[in-house]
Amino acid sequence: QSLLHMLHALGSYTDGFQRPFLEQSTRYYQAEGLRLMEALSVPEYLAHCETRLGAEYERCAVYLDAATRKPLIAAVEAQLVAEHMPMI
């Protein structure tokens, strides 16, 4: 976390870390959502989504800058839940 504080102090947090991190997280959860919607039942899938959202919230609290929490949770919700609402 000290590295992230340093990036923030240098004004590089958003462009140097947060933006690429959010882009990669979006791609990761997009692929995971597609894969798991085919493999799990709807109740199992929704339980997985709840677990993932909790884990990302906790990761933000422990490792990331507070400003990352809202866009990260929004990206996870969009890729795991919103994208699959017709099937849920």
Side-chain angles (χ1 to χ4, degrees):
Q1 201 172 35
S2 62
L3 177 59
L4 296 179
H5 288 297
M6 183 180 70
L7 287 172
H8 208 301
L10 294 171
S12 299
Y13 181 82
T14 301
D15 292 333
F17 176 77
Q18 184 176 336
R19 187 170 293 126
F21 176 75
L22 292 172
E23 290 169 359
Q24 184 61 35
S25 295
T26 297
R27 285 191 295 271
Y28 177 83
Y29 283 113
Q30 181 181 38
E32 181 175 278
L34 291 170
R35 179 175 50 83
L36 292 180
M37 274 303 294
E38 293 182 11
L40 301 175
S41 68
V42 171
E44 291 172 323
Y45 182 79
L46 291 174
H48 175 79
C49 293
E50 185 176 8
T51 299
R52 281 302 208 177
L53 286 165
E56 290 298 352
Y57 189 88
E58 185 66 29
R59 183 190 330 213
C60 285
V62 175
Y63 299 110
L64 302 173
D65 187 83
T68 304
R69 182 179 330 141
K70 187 174 180 177
L72 178 59
I73 296 300
V76 175
E77 288 174 341
Q79 296 306 315
L80 291 184
V81 181
E83 284 291 319
H84 303 285
M85 283 305 291
M87 293 173 274
I88 294 174

